Amino acid sequence: MPTPLTPPPQVAAVHRDRGDACPGSLRLHTADDGALARVRVPGGVVTVEQAEALAAVARWGDGDLHLTSRGNVQVRGLDAGRGPELAGLLDAAGLLPAPGHERVRNVVASPLSGLDGGGEREVRPWLTELDAALCASPAARELSGRFLFALDDGRGDVAGLGADVTVRAAAGGAALLGVGASREVLRLAAGDAPRAALLAAEEFLAAAGARAWRVAELGTAPEALLNAVGERLAGAGIAWARVPAATGRAPEPAPGAAGTALCAHARFGRITAVQWRELIRAAARGAGGELRLTPWRSVVVPAAGLDAAGRATALADLAATGLVTDPASPWPLVGACVGRPGCARSHADVRADAARALTGPAPGSDGPAPGASDTAGPAPDAALPAGPASGAPTPDAPVPGGPAPDAPVPGAPAPDVLAPRTPLPLYWSGCERRCGRPRGPHLDLVAVPDGGYLLTAAGDGPSPTVALSGPSGLAAALADLAP
């Protein structure tokens, strides 16, 4: 019988006895493959000019851009001595508007807002106002680099990402302000939403001091913080009413066309220079002048300037670079941590194994896809990365952000591995830390030291554990796990 995995700990009261070491553009993190820079991109929005700047930065590192679970960008493999040059380039591109606040500009926003006719209202004005308010607030400088804001246009996509402060558009020109996992929210006028979100974050700081970085770490019910936020809003002249939180959720944008936009998914969140160049080209042709990076490691391209034929051509061009544009593709359901060889804690090259499980052996071969293996062992020659206690960038880690093939993995996709067996995301982890795993129900595949994986269904209730010797056994393991 396989040993059941230890479930991820439930966060209770946390007392931090050190400063937040979350990386940024000015504070680089030393990883096994060089220095790592995390560029905050509020709402995931980058102009074509800013995208060009990020392309230049990527050339100083491993050549690629790595999307994170918050719609930010990481650059890996940098020379630590290029920090000042990096800051100068980002500042000139408008990606570093407030150096003292650069790590706290963590804002996710509904990526299709204003592009597909969905939602209750366009959230871009909220995003612009909140980012400006954050950068102007002396108190906000003390927020952790892990603190997260979410601006949902009412469809319920980013509202389910576990943000510390969530603003969700509602009917009748209203907004719903929530903190953490509170089951109640404050209904207020939409025009007050950005200011209310900042005041909520400042109230969190007053309650947390230096002992907690996120709302869930306070050790008290989020409703208690909501009470205090309500008092602060009333003192600021913002009227509100307490109501139940909205529960509807919308899925992430599917690859392909959506309204006047295009959506392309990046396998494992890694975008090569060729792919990024084609995304910039599509943004320029689409007359939107921007890209929107999503928390699901995809890129939305506003393309109102293209007709249906033009959008089809643009999608074909993106697909030719290896980006996923087929809405039926199983790839958006698959995620993985950095894995081996980028992380010495990992017991497997999880991304290669995940790719093999999804695509099968390369054409004309009885063996695995390039770089994949059916067994996993330690990587003795890799340096041990810092864990959470020493400031490793796990909450916003670019999953994955280590080495990966630049070209699409050979082999025909095998969607029957994932669907219709399960609609749940499948996440591969190199060790029990499960860095970057998704929130909510998903399938957990965790590599074990003696080779192979343990599969469980992560959710609210207990789940059996199924052992598999390697990625080729995934379909059978999923069948065993099914009720």
Side-chain angles (χ1 to χ4, degrees):
M1 286 289 292
T3 302
L5 293 173
T6 303
Q10 298 298 313
V11 179
V14 175
H15 295 270
R16 303 288 187 179
D17 58 2
R18 62 183 177 87
D20 176 17
C22 199
S25 301
L26 301 178
R27 177 190 290 177
L28 305 187
H29 171 75
T30 301
D32 291 345
D33 53 356
L36 176 155
R38 180 176 299 158
V39 184
R40 265 62 177 195
V41 184
V45 178
V46 292
T47 66
V48 167
E49 293 76 15
Q50 291 171 335
E52 295 281 7
L54 289 172
V57 171
R59 290 194 289 271
W60 296 346
D62 64 9
D64 298 333
L65 294 171
H66 305 267
L67 305 185
T68 78
S69 60
R70 294 181 169 190
N72 292 323
V73 175
Q74 288 189 169
V75 181
R76 302 183 67 95
L78 290 165
D79 182 336
R82 300 202 80 150
E85 193 175 0
L86 168 69
L89 191 154
L90 295 176
D91 183 35
L95 290 166
L96 199 59
H101 294 76
E102 65 101 2
R103 293 188 307 129
V104 307
R105 300 170 68 225
N106 294 302
V107 187
V108 293
S110 298
L112 288 175
S113 185
L115 299 176
D116 67 344
E120 293 288 344
R121 69 182 296 120
E122 161 99 58
V123 297
R124 177 60 66 83
W126 281 355
L127 177 62
T128 302
E129 187 176 342
L130 175 59
D131 187 36
L134 268 174
C135 292
S137 168
R141 295 180 62 159
E142 302 306 315
L143 288 171
S144 161
R146 293 161 169 79
F147 195 90
L148 180 64
F149 295 88
L151 302 178
D152 193 297
D153 68 0
R155 73 184 69 207
D157 52 357
V158 299
L161 296 181
D164 298 283
V165 174
T166 299
V167 177
R168 181 168 179 163
L176 304 177
L177 175 71
V179 293
S182 175
R183 296 180 180 179
E184 295 183 307
V185 294
L186 304 182
R187 184 182 178 94
L188 43 86
D192 291 327
R195 185 162 65 105
L198 177 61
L199 289 172
E202 292 177 347
E203 184 60 35
F204 162 79
L205 286 171
R211 67 185 177 89
W213 292 340
R214 304 205 61 188
V215 169
E217 297 175 356
L218 288 174
T220 58
E223 287 77 12
L225 176 60
L226 192 68
N227 289 337
V229 169
E231 293 177 5
R232 182 174 285 233
L233 297 187
I238 297 177
W240 53 268
R242 195 161 179 146
V243 299
T247 57
R249 295 287 181 265
E252 65 191 77
T260 60
L262 313 174
C263 183
H265 177 81
R267 290 177 174 90
F268 301 125
R270 185 166 189 167
I271 301 181
T272 67
V274 171
Q275 291 168 344
W276 190 248
R277 175 59 53 197
E278 190 59 40
L279 285 164
I280 292 174
R281 182 168 171 261
R285 290 162 59 195
E290 68 182 30
L291 300 172
R292 300 185 185 183
L293 315 180
T294 83
W296 302 281
R297 299 181 176 87
S298 60
V299 182
V300 168
V301 184
L306 296 176
D307 58 15
R311 287 194 287 272
T313 298
L315 285 172
D317 291 342
L318 292 170
T321 70
L323 291 167
V324 177
T325 61
D326 180 359
S329 172
W331 274 105
L333 284 174
V334 180
C337 72
V338 173
R340 209 172 64 185
C343 175
R345 288 182 185 267
S346 179
H347 304 304
D349 184 347
V350 290
R351 294 192 307 159
D353 284 349
R356 181 189 175 190
L358 194 60
T359 64
S365 168
D366 293 328
S373 65
D374 229 10
T375 59
D381 57 342
L384 192 67
S390 56
T394 56
D396 199 22
V399 183
D406 286 347
V409 178
D416 59 302
V417 172
L418 295 180
R421 297 183 187 276
T422 174
L424 295 177
L426 182 65
Y427 195 79
W428 299 67
S429 299
C431 72
E432 282 201 18
R433 291 169 64 201
R434 303 177 181 90
C435 296
R437 65 186 178 275
R439 293 184 56 85
H442 63 279
L443 297 173
D444 234 350
L445 267 168
V446 181
V448 292
D450 56 349
Y453 290 86
L454 296 180
L455 171 67
T456 58
D460 296 331
S463 168
T465 298
V466 179
L468 56 155
S469 61
S472 61
L474 177 58
L478 288 172
D480 290 343
L481 191 65

